[in-house]
Amino acid sequence: MRRVTLGSMSLAGLIAAGIAFAAPPQTATLAVENMTCGTCPIVVKKALERVPGVTSTSVDFDKKTATVTFDPDKATSAKLAQATTEAGFPSKVVSKP
């Protein structure tokens, strides 16, 4: 069996060999509605963390926003908004890369 090292192959060779390259993580900020108490950000955070591909989440109760870093190969900003909406906190994307 022939041993192949990455150092000896070109980018075209890697692609032809079926080597996939992961997209860099993306960050999106959502405007979240209905957050009225200290428990609400916890529920929003847990809903977002359940979306496959989410790597980090920060919820700001005072600004009514959630900032989410995710793998774009596994999640989309639409899926993030859907997750919060299904948890009772409708949201919309206000910024993304």
Coordinates of all heavy atoms in Angstrom, one line a residue:
M1 N 0.8 -1.2 0.0 CA 0.0 0.0 0.0 C 0.9 1.2 0.0 O 1.8 1.3 0.7 CB -0.9 0.0 1.2 CG -1.8 1.2 1.3 SD -2.9 1.1 2.7 CE -4.4 1.3 1.9
R2 N 0.5 2.2 -0.8 CA 1.3 3.4 -0.9 C 0.9 4.4 0.2 O -0.3 4.7 0.4 CB 1.1 4.0 -2.3 CG 1.9 5.2 -2.6 CD 1.7 5.6 -4.0 NE 1.9 7.1 -4.1 CZ 1.4 7.9 -4.9 NH1 0.6 7.5 -5.8 NH2 1.7 9.2 -4.9
R3 N 1.9 5.0 0.8 CA 1.6 6.0 1.9 C 1.6 7.4 1.2 O 2.5 7.7 0.5 CB 2.7 5.9 2.9 CG 2.5 6.9 4.0 CD 3.5 6.8 5.1 NE 3.0 5.7 6.0 CZ 3.6 5.3 7.1 NH1 4.8 5.8 7.4 NH2 3.0 4.5 7.8
V4 N 0.6 8.2 1.5 CA 0.5 9.5 1.0 C 0.6 10.5 2.2 O -0.1 10.3 3.2 CB -0.9 9.7 0.3 CG1 -1.0 11.1 -0.2 CG2 -1.0 8.7 -0.9
T5 N 1.4 11.5 2.0 CA 1.5 12.5 3.0 C 0.9 13.8 2.5 O 1.0 14.1 1.3 CB 3.0 12.8 3.5 OG1 3.7 13.2 2.4 CG2 3.6 11.5 4.0
L6 N 0.3 14.6 3.3 CA -0.2 15.9 2.9 C 0.8 16.8 2.3 O 0.5 17.6 1.4 CB -1.0 16.5 4.0 CG -2.2 15.8 4.5 CD1 -2.8 16.6 5.7 CD2 -3.2 15.5 3.4
G7 N 2.0 16.8 2.8 CA 3.1 17.7 2.3 C 3.4 17.5 0.9 O 3.9 18.4 0.2
S8 N 3.2 16.3 0.3 CA 3.6 16.0 -1.0 C 2.5 16.2 -2.0 O 2.7 16.1 -3.2 CB 4.1 14.6 -1.2 OG 3.1 13.7 -0.9
M9 N 1.3 16.5 -1.6 CA 0.1 16.7 -2.5 C -0.3 18.1 -2.6 O -0.2 18.9 -1.7 CB -1.1 15.9 -2.0 CG -0.9 14.4 -2.0 SD -2.4 13.5 -1.6 CE -3.3 13.6 -3.1
S10 N -0.7 18.5 -3.8 CA -1.2 19.8 -4.1 C -2.7 19.9 -3.6 O -3.3 18.9 -3.3 CB -1.2 20.1 -5.6 OG -2.1 19.3 -6.3
L11 N -3.2 21.1 -3.6 CA -4.6 21.3 -3.2 C -5.5 20.5 -4.1 O -6.4 19.9 -3.6 CB -4.9 22.8 -3.2 CG -6.4 23.2 -2.8 CD1 -6.7 22.7 -1.4 CD2 -6.6 24.7 -2.9
A12 N -5.2 20.6 -5.4 CA -6.1 19.8 -6.3 C -6.0 18.3 -6.1 O -7.0 17.6 -6.2 CB -5.6 20.1 -7.8
G13 N -4.8 17.9 -5.7 CA -4.7 16.5 -5.3 C -5.4 16.1 -4.1 O -6.0 15.0 -4.1
L14 N -5.5 16.9 -3.1 CA -6.2 16.7 -1.9 C -7.7 16.6 -2.2 O -8.4 15.7 -1.7 CB -5.9 17.7 -0.8 CG -4.6 17.7 -0.2 CD1 -4.3 18.9 0.7 CD2 -4.3 16.4 0.6
I15 N -8.2 17.5 -3.0 CA -9.6 17.6 -3.4 C -10.0 16.3 -4.2 O -11.0 15.7 -3.9 CB -9.9 18.8 -4.2 CG1 -9.8 20.0 -3.2 CG2 -11.3 18.8 -4.8 CD1 -9.9 21.4 -3.9
A16 N -9.1 15.9 -5.1 CA -9.3 14.7 -5.9 C -9.3 13.5 -5.1 O -10.1 12.5 -5.3 CB -8.3 14.6 -7.0
A17 N -8.6 13.5 -4.0 CA -8.5 12.4 -3.1 C -9.7 12.3 -2.1 O -9.8 11.4 -1.4 CB -7.2 12.4 -2.3
G18 N -10.6 13.3 -2.2 CA -11.7 13.3 -1.3 C -11.5 13.9 0.0 O -12.3 13.7 0.9
I19 N -10.5 14.7 0.2 CA -10.2 15.3 1.4 C -11.1 16.6 1.5 O -11.1 17.4 0.6 CB -8.7 15.8 1.6 CG1 -7.8 14.6 1.4 CG2 -8.5 16.5 2.9 CD1 -7.8 13.6 2.5
A20 N -11.9 16.7 2.5 CA -12.8 17.8 2.7 C -12.2 18.9 3.6 O -11.5 18.5 4.6 CB -14.1 17.4 3.3
F21 N -12.4 20.1 3.3 CA -11.9 21.2 4.1 C -13.1 21.8 4.8 O -14.1 22.2 4.2 CB -11.2 22.3 3.3 CG -9.9 21.7 2.7 CD1 -9.9 21.2 1.4 CD2 -8.8 21.7 3.4 CE1 -8.8 20.8 0.8 CE2 -7.6 21.2 2.9 CZ -7.6 20.7 1.6
A22 N -13.0 22.0 6.1 CA -14.1 22.6 6.9 C -14.1 24.1 6.8 O -13.1 24.7 6.7 CB -13.9 22.2 8.4
A23 N -15.3 24.6 6.7 CA -15.5 26.0 6.6 C -15.1 26.7 8.0 O -15.3 26.0 9.0 CB -16.9 26.4 6.3
P24 N -14.6 27.9 8.0 CA -14.3 28.5 9.3 C -15.6 28.8 10.1 O -16.6 29.0 9.5 CB -13.6 29.8 8.9 CG -14.0 30.1 7.5 CD -14.3 28.7 6.9
P25 N -15.5 28.8 11.4 CA -16.7 29.1 12.2 C -17.2 30.5 11.8 O -16.5 31.4 11.5 CB -16.2 29.1 13.6 CG -14.8 28.5 13.6 CD -14.3 28.6 12.2
Q26 N -18.5 30.6 12.0 CA -19.2 31.9 11.7 C -19.9 32.4 13.0 O -20.2 31.6 13.9 CB -20.3 31.8 10.7 CG -19.7 31.6 9.3 CD -20.8 31.6 8.2 OE1 -22.0 31.7 8.5 NE2 -20.4 31.4 7.0
T27 N -20.1 33.7 13.1 CA -20.8 34.2 14.3 C -21.9 35.0 13.8 O -21.8 35.8 12.9 CB -19.8 35.1 15.1 OG1 -18.7 34.3 15.5 CG2 -20.5 35.7 16.3
A28 N -23.1 34.8 14.5 CA -24.3 35.6 14.2 C -24.9 36.2 15.5 O -24.8 35.6 16.5 CB -25.3 34.7 13.5
T29 N -25.4 37.4 15.4 CA -26.1 38.0 16.5 C -27.6 38.0 16.2 O -28.0 38.4 15.1 CB -25.6 39.4 16.8 OG1 -24.2 39.3 17.0 CG2 -26.3 40.0 18.0
L30 N -28.4 37.5 17.2 CA -29.8 37.5 17.0 C -30.5 38.5 18.0 O -30.0 38.6 19.1 CB -30.4 36.1 17.4 CG -29.8 34.9 16.7 CD1 -30.3 33.6 17.3 CD2 -30.1 34.9 15.2
A31 N -31.5 39.2 17.5 CA -32.3 40.0 18.4 C -33.4 39.1 18.9 O -34.2 38.5 18.1 CB -33.0 41.2 17.6
V32 N -33.5 38.9 20.2 CA -34.4 38.0 20.8 C -35.6 38.7 21.6 O -35.3 39.5 22.4 CB -33.6 37.1 21.8 CG1 -34.5 36.0 22.4 CG2 -32.4 36.4 21.2
E33 N -36.8 38.3 21.2 CA -38.0 38.9 21.9 C -38.4 38.0 23.1 O -38.0 36.9 23.3 CB -39.1 38.9 20.8 CG -38.8 39.7 19.6 CD -39.9 39.6 18.6 OE1 -41.1 39.3 19.0 OE2 -39.7 39.9 17.4
N34 N -39.3 38.6 23.9 CA -39.9 38.0 25.0 C -39.0 37.7 26.2 O -39.5 36.9 27.1 CB -40.7 36.7 24.6 CG -41.8 36.9 23.6 OD1 -42.2 38.1 23.4 ND2 -42.2 35.9 22.9
M35 N -37.8 38.1 26.3 CA -37.0 37.9 27.4 C -37.4 38.9 28.5 O -37.1 40.1 28.3 CB -35.5 38.0 27.1 CG -35.0 36.8 26.3 SD -33.2 36.6 26.4 CE -32.6 38.1 25.7
T36 N -38.0 38.4 29.6 CA -38.6 39.4 30.6 C -38.0 39.1 32.0 O -38.3 39.9 32.9 CB -40.1 39.2 30.7 OG1 -40.4 37.9 30.9 CG2 -40.7 39.7 29.3
C37 N -37.3 38.0 32.2 CA -36.8 37.7 33.5 C -35.4 37.1 33.4 O -34.9 36.7 32.3 CB -37.7 36.8 34.3 SG -37.8 35.1 33.6
G38 N -34.8 36.8 34.5 CA -33.4 36.3 34.6 C -33.3 34.9 34.1 O -32.2 34.4 33.7
T39 N -34.4 34.1 34.1 CA -34.4 32.7 33.6 C -34.4 32.7 32.1 O -33.9 31.7 31.5 CB -35.6 32.0 34.2 OG1 -35.6 32.1 35.6 CG2 -35.6 30.5 33.8
C40 N -35.0 33.7 31.4 CA -35.2 33.7 30.0 C -33.8 33.4 29.2 O -33.8 32.6 28.3 CB -35.8 34.9 29.5 SG -37.5 35.1 30.1
P41 N -32.8 34.2 29.6 CA -31.5 33.9 28.8 C -31.0 32.5 29.0 O -30.4 32.0 28.0 CB -30.5 34.9 29.5 CG -31.4 36.0 30.1 CD -32.6 35.3 30.5
I42 N -31.3 31.9 30.1 CA -30.8 30.5 30.3 C -31.6 29.6 29.3 O -31.0 28.7 28.7 CB -31.1 30.0 31.7 CG1 -30.2 30.9 32.7 CG2 -30.8 28.5 31.9 CD1 -30.6 30.7 34.1
V43 N -32.9 29.8 29.1 CA -33.7 29.0 28.2 C -33.2 29.2 26.8 O -33.0 28.3 26.0 CB -35.2 29.3 28.3 CG1 -36.0 28.6 27.3 CG2 -35.6 29.0 29.8
V44 N -32.9 30.5 26.4 CA -32.5 30.8 25.1 C -31.1 30.2 24.8 O -30.9 29.5 23.8 CB -32.4 32.4 24.9 CG1 -31.7 32.7 23.6 CG2 -33.8 33.0 24.9
K45 N -30.2 30.3 25.8 CA -28.9 29.7 25.6 C -29.0 28.1 25.4 O -28.3 27.6 24.5 CB -28.0 30.0 26.9 CG -26.6 29.5 26.8 CD -25.8 30.0 28.0 CE -24.4 29.4 28.0 NZ -23.5 30.0 27.0
K46 N -29.8 27.5 26.2 CA -29.9 26.0 26.1 C -30.5 25.6 24.7 O -30.1 24.7 24.1 CB -30.8 25.5 27.2 CG -30.0 25.5 28.6 CD -30.8 24.8 29.6 CE -30.0 24.8 30.9 NZ -28.9 23.9 31.0
A47 N -31.5 26.4 24.3 CA -32.1 26.1 23.0 C -31.1 26.3 21.8 O -31.0 25.4 20.9 CB -33.3 27.1 22.7
L48 N -30.2 27.3 21.9 CA -29.2 27.5 20.9 C -28.1 26.4 21.0 O -27.6 25.9 19.9 CB -28.6 28.9 21.0 CG -29.5 30.0 20.6 CD1 -28.9 31.3 21.1 CD2 -29.8 30.0 19.1
E49 N -27.8 26.0 22.2 CA -26.7 25.0 22.3 C -27.2 23.6 21.8 O -26.3 22.8 21.5 CB -26.3 24.9 23.8 CG -25.5 26.1 24.3 CD -25.2 26.1 25.8 OE1 -25.9 25.4 26.5 OE2 -24.3 26.8 26.2
R50 N -28.5 23.4 21.7 CA -29.0 22.1 21.2 C -28.9 22.0 19.6 O -29.1 20.9 19.1 CB -30.4 21.9 21.6 CG -30.5 21.5 23.0 CD -32.0 21.1 23.4 NE -32.2 21.4 24.8 CZ -33.0 22.3 25.3 NH1 -33.7 23.1 24.5 NH2 -33.2 22.5 26.5
V51 N -28.6 23.1 19.0 CA -28.5 23.1 17.5 C -27.2 22.5 17.2 O -26.1 23.0 17.6 CB -28.6 24.6 17.0 CG1 -28.4 24.5 15.4 CG2 -30.0 25.2 17.3
P52 N -27.2 21.4 16.4 CA -25.9 20.8 16.0 C -25.0 21.8 15.3 O -25.5 22.6 14.4 CB -26.3 19.7 15.0 CG -27.8 19.4 15.4 CD -28.3 20.7 15.8
G53 N -23.7 21.9 15.7 CA -22.8 22.8 15.0 C -22.5 24.0 15.8 O -21.5 24.7 15.6
V54 N -23.3 24.3 16.9 CA -23.1 25.5 17.7 C -21.9 25.2 18.6 O -21.9 24.2 19.3 CB -24.4 25.9 18.5 CG1 -24.0 26.9 19.6 CG2 -25.4 26.4 17.6
T55 N -20.9 26.1 18.6 CA -19.8 25.9 19.5 C -19.7 26.9 20.7 O -19.1 26.5 21.7 CB -18.5 26.1 18.6 OG1 -18.5 27.4 18.0 CG2 -18.3 25.1 17.6
S56 N -20.4 28.0 20.6 CA -20.5 28.9 21.8 C -21.7 29.8 21.6 O -22.1 30.2 20.5 CB -19.2 29.7 22.0 OG -19.1 30.7 21.0
T57 N -22.2 30.2 22.8 CA -23.4 31.1 22.8 C -23.2 32.0 24.0 O -22.9 31.6 25.1 CB -24.7 30.2 23.0 OG1 -24.7 29.3 22.0 CG2 -25.9 31.1 23.0
S58 N -23.6 33.3 23.8 CA -23.6 34.3 24.8 C -24.9 35.1 24.7 O -25.3 35.6 23.6 CB -22.4 35.2 24.6 OG -22.6 36.3 25.5
V59 N -25.7 35.1 25.8 CA -27.0 35.8 25.7 C -26.9 37.1 26.6 O -26.5 37.0 27.8 CB -28.1 34.9 26.2 CG1 -29.5 35.6 26.1 CG2 -28.2 33.6 25.3
D60 N -27.3 38.2 26.1 CA -27.3 39.5 26.8 C -28.7 39.9 27.1 O -29.4 40.3 26.2 CB -26.5 40.5 26.0 CG -26.3 41.8 26.8 OD1 -27.2 42.2 27.6 OD2 -25.3 42.5 26.6
F61 N -29.1 39.7 28.3 CA -30.5 40.0 28.8 C -30.8 41.5 28.6 O -31.9 41.9 28.1 CB -30.7 39.6 30.2 CG -32.1 40.0 30.7 CD1 -33.2 39.3 30.3 CD2 -32.2 41.0 31.6 CE1 -34.5 39.6 30.8 CE2 -33.5 41.4 32.1 CZ -34.6 40.7 31.7
D62 N -29.9 42.4 28.9 CA -30.1 43.8 28.8 C -30.3 44.3 27.4 O -31.2 45.1 27.1 CB -29.0 44.6 29.5 CG -28.9 44.4 31.0 OD1 -30.0 44.2 31.6 OD2 -27.8 44.4 31.6
K63 N -29.5 43.8 26.5 CA -29.6 44.1 25.1 C -30.6 43.3 24.3 O -30.9 43.6 23.1 CB -28.2 44.0 24.4 CG -27.2 45.0 24.9 CD -25.9 44.9 24.2 CE -24.9 45.9 24.8 NZ -23.6 45.7 24.1
K64 N -31.1 42.2 24.9 CA -32.0 41.3 24.3 C -31.4 40.7 23.0 O -32.0 40.6 22.0 CB -33.4 42.0 23.9 CG -34.0 42.7 25.1 CD -34.5 41.7 26.2 CE -35.4 42.5 27.2 NZ -34.9 42.4 28.5
T65 N -30.2 40.2 23.1 CA -29.5 39.6 22.0 C -28.8 38.3 22.4 O -28.6 38.1 23.6 CB -28.4 40.6 21.4 OG1 -27.4 40.8 22.5 CG2 -28.9 41.9 20.9
A66 N -28.5 37.5 21.4 CA -27.8 36.3 21.6 C -26.7 36.3 20.5 O -27.0 36.5 19.3 CB -28.6 35.1 21.5
T67 N -25.5 36.0 20.9 CA -24.4 35.9 19.9 C -23.9 34.5 19.9 O -23.6 33.9 20.9 CB -23.2 36.9 20.3 OG1 -23.7 38.2 20.4 CG2 -22.1 36.8 19.3
V68 N -23.9 33.9 18.7 CA -23.7 32.5 18.5 C -22.6 32.2 17.5 O -22.6 32.8 16.4 CB -25.0 31.8 18.0 CG1 -24.8 30.3 18.0 CG2 -26.2 32.2 18.9
T69 N -21.6 31.4 17.9 CA -20.6 30.9 17.0 C -20.9 29.5 16.6 O -21.3 28.7 17.5 CB -19.2 31.0 17.7 OG1 -19.0 32.4 18.1 CG2 -18.1 30.6 16.7
F70 N -20.9 29.2 15.3 CA -21.3 27.9 14.8 C -20.6 27.5 13.6 O -19.9 28.3 12.9 CB -22.8 28.0 14.5 CG -23.2 29.0 13.5 CD1 -23.4 28.6 12.1 CD2 -23.4 30.3 13.8 CE1 -23.7 29.5 11.2 CE2 -23.8 31.2 12.8 CZ -23.9 30.8 11.5
D71 N -20.6 26.2 13.3 CA -20.0 25.6 12.1 C -21.0 25.7 11.0 O -22.1 25.1 11.1 CB -19.7 24.1 12.4 CG -19.1 23.4 11.2 OD1 -19.2 23.9 10.1 OD2 -18.6 22.3 11.4
P72 N -20.7 26.5 10.0 CA -21.7 26.7 8.9 C -22.0 25.5 8.0 O -23.0 25.4 7.3 CB -21.1 27.8 8.0 CG -19.6 27.7 8.3 CD -19.5 27.3 9.7
D73 N -21.2 24.4 8.2 CA -21.4 23.2 7.5 C -22.5 22.4 8.2 O -23.1 21.4 7.7 CB -20.2 22.3 7.5 CG -19.1 22.9 6.5 OD1 -19.5 23.6 5.6 OD2 -17.9 22.6 6.7
K74 N -22.8 22.7 9.5 CA -23.8 22.0 10.3 C -25.0 22.8 10.7 O -26.1 22.3 11.0 CB -23.1 21.4 11.6 CG -22.0 20.5 11.3 CD -21.4 20.0 12.5 CE -20.2 19.0 12.2 NZ -19.5 18.6 13.5
A75 N -24.9 24.1 10.8 CA -26.0 25.0 11.2 C -26.1 26.2 10.3 O -25.1 26.6 9.6 CB -25.7 25.4 12.7
T76 N -27.2 26.9 10.4 CA -27.4 28.1 9.7 C -28.0 29.1 10.7 O -28.6 28.8 11.7 CB -28.4 28.0 8.5 OG1 -29.7 27.6 9.0 CG2 -27.9 26.9 7.5
S77 N -28.0 30.4 10.3 CA -28.6 31.4 11.2 C -30.1 31.2 11.2 O -30.7 31.5 12.2 CB -28.2 32.8 10.7 OG -28.5 33.0 9.3
A78 N -30.7 30.7 10.2 CA -32.1 30.4 10.2 C -32.5 29.3 11.2 O -33.5 29.4 11.9 CB -32.6 30.0 8.8
K79 N -31.6 28.3 11.3 CA -31.8 27.3 12.3 C -31.7 27.8 13.7 O -32.4 27.4 14.6 CB -30.9 26.1 12.1 CG -31.2 25.2 10.9 CD -30.2 24.1 10.7 CE -30.5 23.3 9.5 NZ -29.5 22.2 9.3
L80 N -30.8 28.8 13.9 CA -30.6 29.4 15.2 C -31.9 30.1 15.6 O -32.4 30.0 16.7 CB -29.4 30.3 15.2 CG -28.1 29.7 14.9 CD1 -27.0 30.7 14.8 CD2 -27.7 28.6 15.9
A81 N -32.4 30.9 14.7 CA -33.6 31.7 14.9 C -34.8 30.8 15.2 O -35.6 31.0 16.1 CB -33.9 32.6 13.8
Q82 N -34.9 29.7 14.4 CA -35.9 28.7 14.6 C -35.9 28.1 16.0 O -36.9 27.9 16.7 CB -35.8 27.6 13.6 CG -36.9 26.5 13.7 CD -36.7 25.4 12.6 OE1 -35.9 25.5 11.8 NE2 -37.6 24.4 12.7
A83 N -34.7 27.8 16.5 CA -34.5 27.2 17.8 C -35.0 28.1 18.9 O -35.7 27.6 19.8 CB -33.0 26.8 18.1
T84 N -34.7 29.4 18.9 CA -35.2 30.3 19.9 C -36.7 30.5 19.8 O -37.4 30.5 20.8 CB -34.5 31.6 19.9 OG1 -34.8 32.3 18.7 CG2 -33.0 31.5 20.0
T85 N -37.2 30.5 18.6 CA -38.6 30.7 18.4 C -39.4 29.5 18.9 O -40.4 29.7 19.6 CB -38.9 30.9 16.9 OG1 -38.2 32.1 16.4 CG2 -40.4 31.1 16.6
E86 N -38.9 28.3 18.7 CA -39.6 27.1 19.2 C -39.5 27.1 20.7 O -40.4 26.4 21.3 CB -39.0 25.9 18.6 CG -39.3 25.7 17.1 CD -38.6 24.5 16.4 OE1 -37.8 23.9 17.1 OE2 -38.9 24.3 15.2
A87 N -38.5 27.7 21.3 CA -38.4 27.8 22.8 C -39.3 28.9 23.4 O -39.3 29.1 24.6 CB -37.0 27.9 23.2
G88 N -40.0 29.6 22.5 CA -40.9 30.7 23.0 C -40.3 32.1 22.9 O -40.8 33.1 23.5
F89 N -39.1 32.2 22.3 CA -38.4 33.5 22.2 C -38.1 33.8 20.7 O -37.0 33.5 20.2 CB -37.1 33.5 23.0 CG -37.4 33.2 24.4 CD1 -37.4 31.9 24.9 CD2 -37.7 34.2 25.3 CE1 -37.7 31.6 26.3 CE2 -37.9 34.0 26.7 CZ -37.9 32.7 27.1
P90 N -39.1 34.3 20.0 CA -38.9 34.6 18.6 C -37.6 35.5 18.4 O -37.4 36.4 19.2 CB -40.1 35.4 18.1 CG -41.2 35.0 19.1 CD -40.4 34.8 20.4
S91 N -36.9 35.3 17.4 CA -35.7 36.0 17.1 C -35.4 36.2 15.6 O -36.0 35.5 14.8 CB -34.4 35.4 17.7 OG -34.1 34.2 17.1
K92 N -34.6 37.2 15.3 CA -34.2 37.4 13.9 C -32.7 37.8 13.9 O -32.2 38.4 14.9 CB -35.0 38.5 13.3 CG -34.9 39.9 13.9 CD -35.8 40.9 13.2 CE -35.7 42.2 13.9 NZ -36.5 43.2 13.2
V93 N -32.1 37.5 12.9 CA -30.6 37.7 12.7 C -30.4 39.2 12.5 O -31.1 39.8 11.6 CB -30.0 36.9 11.6 CG1 -28.6 37.2 11.4 CG2 -30.2 35.4 11.8
V94 N -29.6 39.9 13.3 CA -29.3 41.3 13.1 C -27.9 41.5 12.6 O -27.6 42.6 12.0 CB -29.5 42.1 14.4 CG1 -31.0 42.2 14.8 CG2 -28.7 41.6 15.6
S95 N -27.0 40.5 12.7 CA -25.7 40.6 12.1 C -25.1 39.2 11.9 O -25.4 38.3 12.7 CB -24.8 41.5 12.9 OG -24.3 40.8 14.0
K96 N -24.5 39.1 10.8 CA -23.7 37.8 10.5 C -22.6 38.2 9.5 O -22.6 39.2 8.9 CB -24.6 36.8 9.9 CG -25.3 37.1 8.6 CD -26.2 35.9 8.2 CE -26.8 36.2 6.8 NZ -27.6 35.2 6.4
P97 N -21.6 37.3 9.4 CA -20.5 37.6 8.6 C -20.9 37.8 7.1 O -21.8 37.4 6.6 CB -19.6 36.4 8.8 CG -20.4 35.4 9.4 CD -21.6 36.0 10.0

